[in-house]
């Protein structure tokens, strides 16, 4: 399970990475470096869109063993994709402020060792999901990882301003995987949640890209905030936010939820739209980061998605 917009969570993770001076790395530093390659904060976000869907699919509490297997398999899959991303992007990571403290730019882990590590995680994810969950969930995890690594990282990211829009498809798969882990089949309900994450990714990532647009510009990655004025970025964020909120409300009639989910979705959506419009308004009068405050919307987007999927999990429990 991967998330093409994972650079958003990376910013928080990389800023918190322990600093290391010159000289041989200690064992603890090496272990931390390998863990860092998997981008744990990204994994947390992806699992947050997996487990609640399992509760919703089970219309209650799913079997604990199934949840554990799905979480472990999903963690290995997301970690594997992140490792491959770090290997491929190590040249630009070394030049960007927010990524230059990763393990590969600091030469704590070699590219070859990282590749082996990523491959092992990928194989383990397939084995765990195939044996202890089901073949469909394993296939979806492989598809998500392949699209993230080959589609987003290697093709889209450095070539188009639409990189995060279509690359974000990879980060939508956890909703499908959580559902199929319980039911063994696809349905319209997880597709709606898939689309919620799809429309959530651009506002979430573009807010972060506004904050680090100089970094992206310096390495010729054409994120939208690099090639378009802040006002246009703000407008695009507002448009995607409106579609995201409308899609989130679509779950109510499609899945036949109880009253908890639509109320929470409506309130969260209204708050998010207010924040998105406020940021857009600030871009109309200024271009400096201190005025635009893009990280405020970035943090709001994390909270929005977290609480929305908590509501997805709670709805069937409260009905029961």
């Amino acid at each position: 399970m991967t998330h093409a917009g994972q650079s958003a969570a990376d910013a928080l993770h990389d800023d918190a990475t322990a600093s290391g001076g010159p000289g041989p790395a200690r064992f603890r530093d090496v272990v931390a470096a390998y863990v860092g390659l998997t981008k744990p904060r990204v994994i947390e976000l992806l699992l947050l869109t997996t487990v609640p869907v399992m509760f919703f699919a089970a219309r209650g509490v799913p079997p604990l063993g199934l949840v554990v297997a799905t979480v472990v398999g999903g963690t290995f899959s997301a970690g594997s994709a992140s490792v491959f991303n770090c290997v491929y992007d190590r040249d630009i990571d070394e030049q960007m402020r927010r990524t230059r403290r990763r393990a590969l730019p600091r030469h704590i882990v070699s590219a070859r060792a990282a590749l082996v590590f990523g491959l092992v995680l990928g194989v383990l994810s397939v084995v765990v999901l195939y044996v202890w969950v089901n073949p469909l969930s394993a296939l979806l995890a492989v598809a998500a990882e392949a699209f993230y690594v080959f589609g987003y990282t290697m093709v889209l990211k450095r070539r188009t301003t639409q990189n995060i829009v279509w690359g974000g498809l990879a980060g939508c798969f956890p909703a499908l995987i959580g559902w199929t882990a319980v039911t063994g089949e696809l349905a319209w309900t997880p597709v709606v949640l898939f689309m919620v994450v799809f429309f959530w990714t651009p506002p979430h990532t573009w807010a972060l890209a506004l904050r680090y647009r100089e970094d992206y510009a310096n390495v010729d990655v054409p994120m939208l905030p690099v090639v378009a004025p802040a006002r246009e970025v703000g407008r695009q964020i507002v448009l995607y936010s409106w579609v995201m909120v409308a899609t989130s409300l679509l779950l109510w009639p499609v899945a036949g939820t109880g009253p908890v989910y639509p109320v929470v979705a409506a309130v969260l959506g209204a708050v998010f739209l207010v924040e998105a419009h406020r940021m857009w308004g600030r871009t109309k009068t200024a271009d400096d980061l201190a005025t635009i405050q893009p990280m405020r919307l970035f943090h709001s987007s994390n909270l929005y998605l977290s609480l929305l999927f908590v509501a997805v999990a709670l709805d069937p429990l409260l009905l029961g």
Side-chain angles (χ1 to χ4, degrees):
M1 281 168 277
T2 59
H3 183 2
Q6 67 183 10
S7 57
D10 297 347
L12 302 180
H13 176 265
D14 294 330
D15 288 346
T17 302
S19 61
R26 293 175 297 177
F27 176 76
R28 184 178 63 181
D29 295 329
V30 174
V31 172
Y34 274 100
V35 172
L37 286 172
T38 67
K39 302 178 184 177
R41 290 188 182 274
V42 175
I43 294 174
E44 291 173 12
L45 193 62
L46 294 174
L47 294 180
L48 185 62
T49 59
T50 305
V51 177
V53 177
M54 297 182 71
F55 277 74
F56 195 84
R59 309 305 291 179
V61 181
L64 178 60
L66 181 64
V67 173
V68 171
T70 306
V71 167
V72 171
T75 297
F76 287 157
S77 178
S80 173
S82 293
V83 172
F84 289 135
N85 171 265
C86 286
V87 172
Y88 190 82
D89 279 350
R90 65 189 185 278
D91 59 329
I92 61 176
D93 283 350
E94 196 162 3
Q95 302 174 57
M96 296 175 67
R97 284 180 304 159
R98 72 172 187 82
T99 58
R100 62 191 177 197
R101 301 208 62 77
R102 290 178 178 173
L104 290 172
R106 293 169 61 199
H107 306 290
I108 296 178
V109 177
S110 69
R112 181 177 180 180
L115 279 174
V116 172
F117 181 51
L119 183 61
V120 169
L121 289 178
V123 171
L124 287 175
S125 74
V126 173
V127 171
V128 171
L129 291 172
Y130 188 92
V131 174
W132 286 286
V133 182
N134 59 57
L136 179 56
S137 295
L139 178 62
L140 289 170
V142 171
E145 180 172 352
F147 184 78
Y148 179 73
V149 174
F150 297 106
Y152 171 70
T153 301
M154 299 179 68
V155 177
L156 294 170
K157 182 175 181 178
R158 306 192 194 197
R159 289 178 171 84
T160 172
T161 58
Q162 296 297 300
N163 48 17
I164 204 60
V165 176
W166 299 109
L169 284 170
C172 307
F173 274 78
L176 302 181
I177 294 169
W179 182 272
T180 57
V182 174
T183 66
E185 59 185 14
L186 289 170
W188 283 113
T189 294
V191 171
V192 171
L193 293 170
F194 178 101
M195 296 307 298
V196 170
V197 180
F198 176 76
F199 291 118
W200 168 87
T201 301
H204 172 72
T205 309
W206 285 337
L208 183 80
L210 269 171
R211 168 67 178 82
Y212 291 100
R213 59 186 172 184
E214 290 184 5
D215 264 5
Y216 287 113
N218 289 337
V219 294
D220 296 322
V221 174
M223 286 289 186
L224 185 64
V226 173
V227 301
R231 181 173 181 175
E232 174 60 19
V233 177
R235 188 182 74 86
Q236 292 278 347
I237 284 175
V238 166
L239 289 175
Y240 273 95
S241 298
W242 273 99
V243 179
M244 174 193 73
V245 173
T247 305
S248 72
L249 293 172
L250 198 62
L251 188 68
W252 181 21
V254 169
T257 70
V260 173
Y261 175 81
V263 170
V264 173
V267 172
L268 290 174
V271 172
F272 191 88
L273 288 173
V274 168
E275 193 62 47
H277 275 275
R278 281 179 177 169
M279 196 192 83
W280 185 28
R282 292 191 292 267
T283 65
K284 295 178 181 178
T285 58
D287 192 59
D288 62 287
L289 294 176
T291 302
I292 297 174
Q293 300 177 45
M295 293 303 287
R296 178 169 171 171
L297 182 67
F298 168 71
H299 291 301
S300 295
S301 68
N302 280 330
L303 186 62
Y304 169 85
L305 196 70
S306 301
L307 294 179
L308 184 76
F309 274 82
V310 167
V312 168
L314 289 178
D315 192 89
L317 295 177
L318 295 177
L319 280 178

